[in-house]
């Protein structure tokens, strides 16, 4: 009986350790800057600097959304497509969201995605776009909600 009790304690500790490791994964850290003036009917890069410090999970996609003051005349475009052969892009006009997705399954896919974010531009075909635009950049598919800042 003593042997069984010792093994139960070891088993419990092992299960606890595995649970903590699974639940305590390190998320990626994204950093971006790019507050700059926009000239009407022109395009402008949305970031002047951008980085991802990867966490425990592989990053296969980046989602960029016009999270404040989005109008249907606004669009985000990945320019220089030939420079990003490992990245596909798709624009969702209903959500004002551009998806950049890695077409490879390599662990270096986030380098390709970081490079692609630098080539994302904002464009509006409105002659006088109103209000400042704010962008959110996520590695998860959740949309940014300005009211909660999440």
């Amino acid at each position: 009986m003593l042997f069984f009790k010792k093994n139960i304690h070891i088993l419990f500790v092992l299960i606890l350790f595995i649970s903590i490791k699974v639940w305590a994964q390190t998320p990626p850290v994204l950093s971006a800057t790019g507050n700059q003036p926009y000239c009407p009917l022109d395009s402008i890069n949305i970031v002047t600097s951008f980085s991802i410090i990867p966490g425990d999970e592989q990053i296969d996609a980046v989602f960029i959304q016009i999270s404040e003051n989005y109008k249907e005349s606004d669009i985000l475009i990945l320019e220089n497509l030939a420079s990003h052969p490992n990245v596909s892009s798709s624009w969702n006009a209903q959500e004002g969201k551009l998806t950049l997705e890695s077409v490879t399954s390599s662990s270096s896919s986030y380098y390709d995605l970081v490079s692609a974010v630098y080539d994302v531009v904002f464009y509006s075909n409105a002659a006088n776009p109103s209000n400042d635009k704010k962008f959110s950049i996520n590695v998860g598919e959740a949309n940014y909600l300005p009211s909660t800042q999440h």
Side-chain angles (χ1 to χ4, degrees), residues 26-80:
T26 305
V29 176
L30 283 69
S31 176
T33 57
N35 188 10
Q36 47 200 337
Y38 173 72
C39 296
L41 302 175
D42 200 2
S43 63
I44 188 169
N45 293 78
I46 64 162
V47 298
T48 54
S49 71
F50 179 72
S51 66
I52 299 175
I53 300 171
D56 293 334
E57 295 182 23
Q58 182 172 326
I59 299 168
D60 296 321
V62 171
F63 304 90
I64 304 168
Q65 183 181 24
I66 303 171
S67 54
E68 283 191 34
N69 300 314
Y70 171 64
K71 305 285 186 221
E72 294 216 2
S73 57
D74 300 340
I75 189 169
L76 296 173
I77 304 166
L78 174 60
E79 288 193 331
N80 304 320

Side-chain angles (χ1 to χ4, degrees), residues 61-121:
V62 171
F63 304 90
I64 304 168
Q65 183 181 24
I66 303 171
S67 54
E68 283 191 34
N69 300 314
Y70 171 64
K71 305 285 186 221
E72 294 216 2
S73 57
D74 300 340
I75 189 169
L76 296 173
I77 304 166
L78 174 60
E79 288 193 331
N80 304 320
L81 292 175
S83 299
H84 308 289
N86 296 325
V87 176
S88 69
S89 69
S90 62
W91 171 247
N92 181 326
Q94 274 189 308
E95 296 179 345
K97 183 168 37 174
L98 179 70
T99 300
L100 302 177
E101 201 163 8
S102 175
V103 296
T104 66
S105 59
S106 73
S107 60
S108 65
S109 65
Y110 77 95
Y111 291 113
D112 296 328
L113 293 168
V114 168
S115 176
V117 170
Y118 274 101
D119 280 340
V120 171
V121 297

Side-chain angles (χ1 to χ4, degrees), residues 125-137:
N125 61 14
N128 292 313
S130 60
N131 301 327
D132 290 341
K133 307 293 181 184
K134 292 193 178 179
F135 306 96
S136 62
I137 304 174

